[in-house]
């Protein structure tokens, strides 16, 4: 069969049949396919009419729980296209698994901006990455620094409650049974937030018993409190029933515009990575003020500026050592993998740092040359000692990848296995879009290179964040399943694939095709074990 919208003189590479390393690089066809999946969802904006799910293979009957996902659902608002998907309105969906079957439901987060724009049937509000006046009229107020709360980055279901998260604004509470929005809130699970926002990332601490299980989230000011020049922050902990068990407040020095997206947790410590970013006043005055760049573009990496690791005490043992800051090499952090403590006092922090980050990058600016060197991101191990305030950094895998996941039972503890989206190109310079599922196996006692398994979905497929679901009664760390949504630009399909996490090279054990529907590339999600609404 002739490939649809395919311009190359050969057939596309198919799933499980990856090109030999060094023989393939992104082409204009790759970029065209990649851009094509960033379009509006076909799902109803009112949450009605769930798609028909066609199951290929057999869903494991032991797989019981709900996959929650959040991400930009609208990339075009009444004729006005967004060239930066971070500005898309949040679409939350849930796939509930029980007895070998799946039930799907969805809803857009009913933010003020989304609700008013749907009612007016036009774009009204600017996003952080919007340039000029989104309304399209002549009035542009450069002193209006408010941006739309798109609520599109994370989602958490805990203690029977569900929240859509976006670190630039307040959380939105949603009804767990139908994902209808209750409203924007100042508290989560009954706990008042010290800073009126909650980061899109959190950690689930399993503990040895159900009573020790914790949801651990954080919030931090983007700008320092005056006149102390500290950014107020807090870490919150809730038990499995949603009852608050701890609120630890911190003042983080000199952290304005540090862009804290994710966190790490160990038995005794919380960790925040501060990016070497700051407000560029020249760009603000000469470009933003004249509608030549977006507000987000005025936050820039500073050449030669160090990233900072903030070590924040979680327990009395760590409080005796005290809050610490450790300088790191210049690099940019979005997502972390895991952290754990060694017997000698060292702490291992595994992350996926970018070489650099430029917020002017968007769907229009990316081309094949972008994937030659440039802003790479690699599986990296940091071995730090909070007492000596030292750090050693080692790359464990040079395959570029993003969106890591792991078994939550090993969060904050020594672990061996992690999973991520990844590129088929494995090289120190060249890379490509995320088109693979990658299993990384590391030695917790050394900085030896990671071993890996790779599943290639095909040349026209682009993968979203994988999520780990544990097998009930498992005795092995990697005993469970990986769930991953994949967009196929050639077939124009969105499919949720389920893998045996022990060996992903065998391909999916089951796939759920959402017939005739498009699920745009999302950002983050979670697996809620045994929660079926």
């Amino acid at each position: 069969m002739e490939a649809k919208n395919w311009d190359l003189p050969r057939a596309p590479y198919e799933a499980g049949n990856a090109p030999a390393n060094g023989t393939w690089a992104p082409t204009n066809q790759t970029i065209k396919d990649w851009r094509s999946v960033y379009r509006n969802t076909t799902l109803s904006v009112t949450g009605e009419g769930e798609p028909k799910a066609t199951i290929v293979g057999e869903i494991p009957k032991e797989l019981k729980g709900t996959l929650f996902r959040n991400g930009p659902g609208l990339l075009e608002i009444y004729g006005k296209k967004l060239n930066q998907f971070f500005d898309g309105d949040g679409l939350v969906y849930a796939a509930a698994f029980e007895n070998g079957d799946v039930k799907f439901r969805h809803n857009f987060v009913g933010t003020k901006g989304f609700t008013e724009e749907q009612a007016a049937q036009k774009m009204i509000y600017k996003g952080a990455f919007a340039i000029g006046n989104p309304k399209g009229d002549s009035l542009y107020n450069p002193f209006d620094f408010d941006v739309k709360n798109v609520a599109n980055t994370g989602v958490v279901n805990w203690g029977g409650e569900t929240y859509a998260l976006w670190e630039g604004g307040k959380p939105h509470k949603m009804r767990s049974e139908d994902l209808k929005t209750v409203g924007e809130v100042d508290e989560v699970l009954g706990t008042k937030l010290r800073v009126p926002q909650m980061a899109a990332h959190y950690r689930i601490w399993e503990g040895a018993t159900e009573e020790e299980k914790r949801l651990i989230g954080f919030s931090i000011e983007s700008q320092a409190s005056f006149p102390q020049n500290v950014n107020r922050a807090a870490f919150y902990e809730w038990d499995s029933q949603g009852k608050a068990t701890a609120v630890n407040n911190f003042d983080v020095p000199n952290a304005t515009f540090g862009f804290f997206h994710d966190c790490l947790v160990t038995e005794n410590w919380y960790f925040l990575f501060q990016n070497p970013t700051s407000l560029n006043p020249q760009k603000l005055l000469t470009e933003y003020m004249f509608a030549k760049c977006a507000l987000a573009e005025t936050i820039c990496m500073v050449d030669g500026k160090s990233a900072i690791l903030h070590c924040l005490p979680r327990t009395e043992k760590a409080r005796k050592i005290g809050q610490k800051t450790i300088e790191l090499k210049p690099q940019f952090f979005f997502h972390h993998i895991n952290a754990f403590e060694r017997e000698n006092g060292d702490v291992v922090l595994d992350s996926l740092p970018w070489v650099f980050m430029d917020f002017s990058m968007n769907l229009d600016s990316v081309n094949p040359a972008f994937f030659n060197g440039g802003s790479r991101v690699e599986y990296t191990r940091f071995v730090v000692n909070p007492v000596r305030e030292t750090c050693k950094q080692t790359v464990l895998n040079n395959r570029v990848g993003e969106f890591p996941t792991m078994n939550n039972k090993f969060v904050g503890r020594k672990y061996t296995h992690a999973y991520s989206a990844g590129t088929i190109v494995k090289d120190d310079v060249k890379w490509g879009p995320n088109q693979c599922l990658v299993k990384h196996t590391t030695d917790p006692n050394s900085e030896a290179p990671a071993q890996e398994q790779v599943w290639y979905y095909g040349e026209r497929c682009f993968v979203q964040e994988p999520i780990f679901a544990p097998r009930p009664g498992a005795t092995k760390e990697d005993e469970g399943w990986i769930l991953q949504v994949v967009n196929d630009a050639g077939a124009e399909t969105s499919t949720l694939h389920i893998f045996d996490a022990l060996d992903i090279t065998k391909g999916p054990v089951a796939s759920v095709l959402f017939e005739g529907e498009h699920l745009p590339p999302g950002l983050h999600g979670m697996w809620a074990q045994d929660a079926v609404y």
Side-chain angles (χ1 to χ4, degrees):
M1 180 183 296
E2 185 177 347
K4 184 179 179 181
N5 297 321
W6 180 255
D7 299 331
L8 298 181
R10 57 167 177 80
Y13 290 103
E14 300 295 336
N17 184 29
N21 200 43
T23 65
W24 184 89
T27 64
N28 287 330
Q29 177 70 54
T30 311
I31 303 303
K32 184 174 74 171
D33 282 347
W34 174 73
R35 287 175 180 159
S36 75
V37 303
Y38 287 93
R39 65 182 191 275
N40 281 3
T41 183
T42 53
L43 297 173
S44 165
V45 295
T46 61
E48 300 169 350
E50 301 304 0
K52 179 182 178 182
T54 298
I55 301 172
V56 178
E58 186 173 336
I59 297 175
K61 294 191 182 306
E62 296 171 281
L63 184 63
K64 182 182 178 182
T66 299
L67 171 69
F68 288 90
R69 297 277 293 141
N70 190 5
L74 292 182
L75 282 304
E76 181 178 331
I77 301 175
Y78 294 103
K80 293 187 179 296
K81 291 186 177 182
L82 307 177
N83 68 354
Q84 174 50 268
F85 59 89
F86 288 151
D87 272 350
D89 290 292
L91 167 66
V92 174
Y93 61 82
F97 293 87
E98 188 173 24
N99 297 322
D101 202 1
V102 60
K103 178 183 177 182
F104 184 92
R105 65 191 187 283
H106 80 283
N107 233 314
F108 275 85
V109 186
T111 65
K112 180 177 184 291
F114 173 79
T115 302
E116 292 185 6
E117 287 179 338
Q118 290 298 306
Q121 296 191 24
K122 65 178 181 179
M123 183 184 286
I124 300 173
Y125 293 93
K126 71 177 179 183
F129 295 87
I131 297 176
N133 181 6
K135 296 180 184 179
D137 56 38
S138 59
L139 178 63
Y140 171 61
N141 179 8
F143 298 100
D144 178 9
F145 296 111
D146 288 335
V147 296
K148 184 182 185 181
N149 182 339
V150 287
N152 68 3
T153 313
V155 58
V156 61
N157 172 267
W158 195 265
E161 297 186 2
T162 301
Y163 297 86
L165 306 173
W166 179 68
E167 59 227 35
K170 296 180 181 180
H172 283 74
K173 187 174 182 179
M174 307 181 79
R175 296 198 314 223
S176 299
E177 63 272 16
D178 58 12
L179 300 179
K180 290 188 181 297
T181 301
V182 176
E184 192 176 73
V185 294
D186 295 304
E187 60 181 41
V188 171
L189 293 164
T191 301
K192 181 80 171 178
L193 300 175
R194 185 189 187 200
V195 179
Q197 59 200 52
M198 182 171 164
H201 284 274
Y202 45 84
R203 297 285 154 170
I204 295 176
W205 179 276
E206 289 282 355
T209 65
E210 183 70 12
E211 289 73 24
E212 296 175 3
K213 190 173 183 178
R214 297 289 184 268
L215 169 67
I216 303 174
F218 77 98
S219 58
I220 183 169
E221 290 177 316
S222 60
Q223 299 183 54
S225 298
F226 182 82
Q228 300 95 336
N229 197 30
V230 296
N231 294 61
R232 294 179 304 147
F235 273 83
Y236 314 92
E237 302 197 18
W238 296 272
D239 66 17
S240 61
Q241 303 304 310
K243 180 182 178 181
T245 60
V247 177
N248 290 307
N249 295 328
F250 301 96
D251 292 331
V252 181
N254 305 309
T256 295
F257 299 122
F259 198 89
F260 298 90
H261 183 68
D262 198 356
C263 67
L264 285 170
V265 177
T266 65
E267 180 182 356
N268 294 293
W269 296 94
Y270 308 113
F271 293 96
L272 291 177
F273 288 74
Q274 178 179 336
N275 287 302
T277 47
S278 66
L279 178 69
N280 184 326
Q282 181 178 359
K283 199 172 184 72
L284 178 72
L285 295 174
T286 63
E287 296 184 40
Y288 170 75
M289 287 293 180
F290 295 95
K292 294 181 179 179
C293 79
L295 187 60
E297 293 178 52
T298 65
I299 309 301
C300 305
M301 281 191 71
V302 179
D303 289 343
K305 184 178 181 179
S306 299
I308 301 291
L309 174 65
H310 294 278
C311 310
L312 308 174
R314 184 184 179 204
T315 64
E316 191 59 36
K317 179 180 178 180
R319 292 186 190 100
K320 291 178 181 178
I321 298 172
Q323 183 173 329
K324 299 287 186 177
T325 59
I326 300 174
E327 283 197 9
L328 308 175
K329 297 177 183 178
Q331 56 205 301
F332 189 94
F333 297 90
F334 269 124
H335 302 125
H336 312 308
I337 304 166
N338 194 26
F340 58 89
E341 300 173 19
R342 286 177 173 166
E343 291 77 9
N344 64 357
D346 287 345
V347 183
V348 174
L349 302 100
D350 289 346
S351 184
L352 293 172
W354 292 70
V355 174
F356 71 89
M357 178 53 57
D358 180 354
F359 285 118
S360 68
M361 292 186 295
N362 57 49
L363 295 172
D364 297 330
S365 65
V366 172
N367 57 34
F370 175 80
F371 297 104
N372 189 5
S375 191
R376 295 171 56 87
V377 52
E378 299 172 334
Y379 197 125
T380 303
R381 175 158 291 178
F382 299 82
V383 180
V384 305
N385 190 290
V387 175
R388 297 194 298 269
E389 299 180 21
T390 57
C391 177
K392 176 186 176 183
Q393 177 175 340
T394 307
V395 173
L396 301 190
N397 193 343
N398 70 342
R399 184 185 299 275
V400 172
E402 254 291 4
F403 297 122
T405 190
M406 59 173 292
N407 186 341
N408 284 331
K409 288 185 178 297
F410 293 82
V411 166
R413 300 171 176 81
K414 284 188 176 182
Y415 78 110
T416 304
H417 305 292
Y419 304 80
S420 73
T423 173
I424 189 55
V425 181
K426 184 175 172 66
D427 186 78
D428 287 330
V429 178
K430 298 177 181 179
W431 52 298
N434 291 324
Q435 298 181 286
C436 301
L437 173 62
V438 183
K439 179 181 182 179
H440 309 264
T441 299
T442 58
D443 177 6
N445 299 311
S446 75
E447 286 69 68
Q451 303 298 309
E452 63 176 14
Q453 293 180 352
V454 178
W455 176 258
Y456 178 60
Y457 284 100
E459 190 169 4
R460 308 194 73 182
C461 291
F462 302 91
V463 306
Q464 301 189 29
E465 176 190 58
I467 300 289
F468 185 92
R471 185 188 298 274
T475 58
K476 298 178 181 179
E477 178 186 340
D478 54 348
E479 198 172 350
W481 300 276
I482 295 294
L483 292 80
Q484 186 171 43
V485 175
V486 175
N487 297 109
D488 187 328
E492 297 184 347
T493 57
S494 299
T495 305
L496 170 58
H497 297 284
I498 304 168
F499 289 79
D500 185 335
L502 288 167
D503 187 359
I504 65 170
T505 64
K506 294 179 179 178
V509 298
S511 299
V512 182
L513 171 66
F514 299 107
E515 291 189 23
E517 302 290 358
H518 178 62
L519 304 180
L523 290 172
H524 300 298
M526 70 168 293
W527 173 255
Q529 184 77 4
D530 294 326
V532 179
Y533 295 97

